[in-house]
Amino acid sequence: MVASLRLPSLTSLLFPATTRYPASLRRTVCLRNRPLSGFATAPSGTASPETKSSEIDRLRSDRAVTPRSQDFNAWYLDVIASAELADYGPVRGTMVIRPYGYAIWEAIQDYLNVKFKETGHSNMYFPQFIPYSFIEKEASHVEGFSPELALVTVGGGKELEEKLVVRPTSETIVNHMFTQWIHSYRDLPLMINQWANVTRWEMRTKPFIRTLEFLWQEGHTAHATPEEAEKKAKQMIEIYTRFAFEQTAIPVIPGRKSKLETFAGADITYTIEAMMGDRKALQAGTSHNLGQNFSRAFGTQFADENGERQHVWQTSWAVSTRFVGGIIMTHGDDTGLMLPPKIAPIQVVIVPIWKKDTEKSGVLSAASSVKEALQTAGVRVKLDDTDQRTPGWKFNFWEMKGIPLRIEIGPRDVSGNSVVVSRRDIPGKAGKVFGISMEPSTLVAYVKEKLDEIQSSLLEKALSFRDSNIVDVNSYDELKDAISSGKWARGPWSASDADEQRVKEETGATIRCFPFEQTQGTKTCLMTGNPAEEVAIFAKSY
């Protein structure tokens, strides 16, 4: 059976019939005629099919990347195209994740899957179609998600008795099932996770960062006490924090969301906030203490040790393919992508070099031996032995794809039983070392040492960038100055929700979080002059 989607009334706004983009927005990049300002395919005017085909071929053959320092948004889209991370789906706002981009997501999955299971969670799966009545049961939840819902109203050629929501998140259907599975305190805690797709009808989209459909994991737990739920919510944001620092080299700031920024249906939302290369904030992961909001709405109860019926206390937490976008925007440079070794699908690329046919077999044999030695040692390595492209083209291509290390092997290297090693994070000759022994134990040790150095170097660089772009402020004027200069503002805050909304309207910045790491001493609210217990971080965000 095929279900048809009837979209909310915003359809006309999302899909104008005659969208036109200025010529300045049409760039020479590998994706199909895309405008830089939006995640969509622009009309191509009156060009004939033959002209369009020729132009697309030309665009796809040009791997030029807009300099990051010149136009950050154009650079980001160019990198996604040229590094073959994703392409555009036929429905505006959707994306096709290509193998290289999906391999980064798999690396994220591999790490987190282990951590989730180590902390007692089991993987399972819930349906992506949710009865609309489920969404309506929790008032703040339906209010928060209504503008983003995609609804199914027809199935099997017939009008459905109840419209269905294509999963925007799963708290409601999870509670429906938890109510059937939880009966006694002996059934608690119940801790599960699912890897799934999610649909949220976004008006402004950007590949990986904000798309109509994306991939994520969402964990859900039920507990007998509020203390257990709070401990779990904090445990998961700590796992995300460690993952960001140790695997992706992104120095996130963990903290608590303000009331206005709290997840719809949660009592408390914890977050990890990352500074991108353009100094905008990215909410990279969240963990919610749901209290009893959903359990009361769905009647999810258990009999405690005294036989009394109690509502469970719950959490939910998630990271998504948005993290891939965060990795791109944190570490890239004018050349393209730059991947931390621990998350890179390919850690080392080997480029054999020969001019004469008589040199080819010896060089390829040596390159294959190096590949085998590294693979045996657990290094993710690729041998680029194709002969359709020059070595120089390969250097540029693999640098653009962000491979941490490149090994070059030519006839002289074979004669000297050595290789040349180039680091992606140190451009040019400064990052190139000659004469590294080809002897397996020596080469493996050297490569692993350099991969560790690159991982640490990327984190240190990102940390330095982050800290140099956070300004401590003590007044609203200072906050506005910091935001207008493109920086993050950190200052004492105890003002009202209305004051927070005023900041958003006047500066475009929001409270990203109240950091767990707080400054000591007395504080005075930057907005009201009243005593404040915490400092908050304000920034413009994706």
Side-chain angles (χ1 to χ4, degrees):
M1 282 203 225
V2 178
S4 64
L5 288 177
R6 286 191 182 175
L7 305 177
S9 59
L10 292 174
T11 305
S12 60
L13 295 175
L14 292 167
F15 302 97
T18 55
T19 306
R20 294 288 176 185
Y21 296 91
S24 61
L25 294 183
R26 303 187 200 108
R27 302 197 59 87
T28 306
V29 290
C30 297
L31 294 186
R32 294 185 294 272
N33 300 333
R34 69 162 183 262
L36 295 183
S37 60
F39 185 26
T41 302
S44 16
T46 56
S48 67
E50 294 77 11
T51 302
K52 292 180 189 176
S53 177
S54 174
E55 182 179 3
I56 289 171
D57 290 341
R58 178 179 60 78
L59 295 180
R60 288 189 178 278
S61 68
D62 182 357
R63 293 192 178 275
V65 173
T66 301
R68 186 174 186 259
S69 52
Q70 175 183 314
D71 186 331
F72 191 87
N73 186 59
W75 166 85
Y76 176 74
L77 296 175
D78 288 354
V79 167
I80 288 173
S82 298
E84 300 173 339
L85 298 171
D87 208 333
Y88 293 96
V91 175
R92 182 177 178 180
T94 64
M95 77 176 165
V96 177
I97 305 176
R98 301 185 67 179
Y100 193 58
Y102 198 85
I104 299 174
W105 177 237
E106 285 180 314
I108 294 172
Q109 288 180 302
D110 290 344
Y111 176 90
L112 290 178
N113 237 342
V114 170
K115 296 304 177 185
F116 296 160
K117 291 176 182 179
E118 285 177 352
T119 48
H121 305 88
S122 300
N123 282 337
M124 61 176 300
Y125 185 79
F126 292 87
Q128 68 171 331
F129 295 124
I130 301 171
Y132 188 78
S133 59
F134 284 15
I135 303 293
E136 291 181 304
K137 284 189 178 184
E138 212 291 321
S140 62
H141 195 64
V142 68
E143 182 182 353
F145 275 99
S146 282
E148 300 176 354
L149 298 182
L151 305 177
V152 180
T153 60
V154 176
K158 297 180 180 180
E159 194 85 17
L160 298 178
E161 292 184 8
E162 179 180 0
K163 56 189 174 184
L164 304 176
V165 175
V166 184
R167 175 176 48 225
T169 182
S170 297
E171 280 77 10
T172 57
I173 195 169
V174 165
N175 265 272
H176 176 77
M177 300 311 301
F178 275 12
T179 300
Q180 300 177 48
W181 299 337
I182 298 171
H183 305 287
S184 161
Y185 69 92
R186 296 182 183 89
D187 299 322
L188 299 173
L190 180 52
M191 302 187 293
I192 59 95
N193 173 69
Q194 74 165 342
W195 295 91
N197 63 331
V198 167
T199 298
R200 295 181 184 175
W201 214 267
E202 301 280 1
M203 290 190 66
R204 299 180 62 187
T205 56
K206 190 182 186 74
F208 289 111
I209 300 302
R210 194 177 297 278
T211 50
L212 187 151
E213 180 189 10
F214 56 91
L215 304 179
W216 75 351
Q217 59 75 209
E218 53 175 321
H220 298 271
T221 67
H223 304 270
T225 68
E227 292 80 12
E228 288 180 20
E230 176 66 4
K231 182 179 179 181
K232 175 58 64 176
K234 286 188 172 179
Q235 179 190 47
M236 301 320 294
I237 207 68
E238 182 182 341
I239 286 175
Y240 292 158
T241 302
R242 286 205 306 270
F243 165 71
F245 272 87
E246 296 173 8
Q247 299 294 307
T248 68
I250 299 178
V252 296
I253 296 178
R256 186 188 79 256
K257 284 289 190 183
S258 69
K259 182 180 176 182
L260 287 183
E261 296 293 321
T262 295
F263 174 74
D267 285 350
I268 305 170
T269 291
Y270 298 111
T271 182
I272 51 173
E273 298 292 324
M275 182 182 289
M276 300 294 95
D278 60 353
R279 298 183 293 190
K280 283 186 179 180
L282 182 75
Q283 179 180 287
T286 51
S287 179
H288 314 293
N289 183 336
L290 302 175
Q292 294 180 315
N293 297 325
F294 287 92
S295 65
R296 290 187 181 277
F298 283 81
T300 313
Q301 295 180 302
F302 69 101
D304 65 17
E305 294 183 18
N306 299 317
E308 298 291 330
R309 300 294 293 174
Q310 307 284 350
H311 288 93
V312 298
W313 302 81
Q314 292 178 262
T315 74
S316 66
W317 25 274
V319 298
S320 73
T321 39
R322 163 176 281 219
F323 230 117
V324 178
I327 293 167
I328 299 168
M329 291 196 288
T330 299
H331 300 301
D333 62 9
D334 282 357
T335 302
L337 190 60
M338 192 182 302
L339 292 176
K342 288 186 179 180
I343 211 78
I346 302 169
Q347 296 172 313
V348 178
V349 63
I350 302 169
V351 179
I353 303 168
W354 69 87
K355 291 184 178 179
K356 304 175 183 177
D357 289 341
T358 54
E359 300 169 336
K360 180 178 180 179
S361 61
V363 168
L364 288 179
S365 176
S368 296
S369 297
V370 168
K371 177 186 177 183
E372 183 178 350
L374 292 174
Q375 266 186 339
T376 302
V379 177
R380 297 187 291 276
V381 58
K382 178 178 178 61
L383 170 59
D384 186 349
D385 56 359
T386 59
D387 53 12
Q388 290 87 7
R389 301 287 188 176
T390 65
W393 187 96
K394 293 178 182 180
F395 292 173
N396 291 333
F397 178 69
W398 293 113
E399 284 178 2
M400 181 267 300
K401 288 178 80 76
I403 310 303
L405 280 180
R406 181 178 73 243
I407 292 177
E408 305 163 21
I409 304 176
R412 290 184 181 180
D413 302 303
V414 174
S415 298
N417 197 40
S418 65
V419 299
V420 179
V421 179
S422 294
R423 288 175 56 156
R424 174 64 180 87
D425 64 322
I426 304 177
K429 292 183 179 179
K432 182 171 287 196
V433 179
F434 296 83
I436 304 301
S437 173
M438 206 182 290
E439 197 278 321
S441 61
T442 302
L443 181 59
V444 166
Y446 181 85
V447 165
K448 287 191 172 183
E449 178 186 359
K450 293 305 162 188
L451 291 174
D452 288 342
E453 285 182 14
I454 294 169
Q455 186 79 25
S456 298
S457 175
L458 290 178
L459 177 59
E460 290 171 8
K461 183 179 178 182
L463 189 58
S464 175
F465 178 80
R466 185 200 75 182
D467 290 347
S468 65
N469 283 290
I470 298 177
V471 178
D472 287 305
V473 299
N474 292 294
S475 70
Y476 186 36
D477 284 341
E478 289 180 357
L479 183 150
K480 288 189 286 187
D481 287 343
I483 298 301
S484 65
S485 65
K487 296 180 180 289
W488 290 18
R490 178 175 53 202
W493 185 263
S494 62
S496 66
D497 293 349
D499 288 324
E500 183 180 342
Q501 185 64 30
R502 176 188 168 193
V503 173
K504 182 176 182 178
E505 292 171 356
E506 294 181 359
T507 71
T510 55
I511 292 180
R512 302 316 306 158
C513 69
F514 293 93
F516 292 151
E517 197 172 301
Q518 287 282 326
T519 57
Q520 301 301 309
T522 52
K523 305 176 185 66
T524 301
C525 178
L526 66 88
M527 179 69 82
T528 65
N530 296 327
E533 294 182 358
E534 298 177 293
V535 297
I537 291 179
F538 294 80
K540 293 182 178 180
S541 66
Y542 282 101

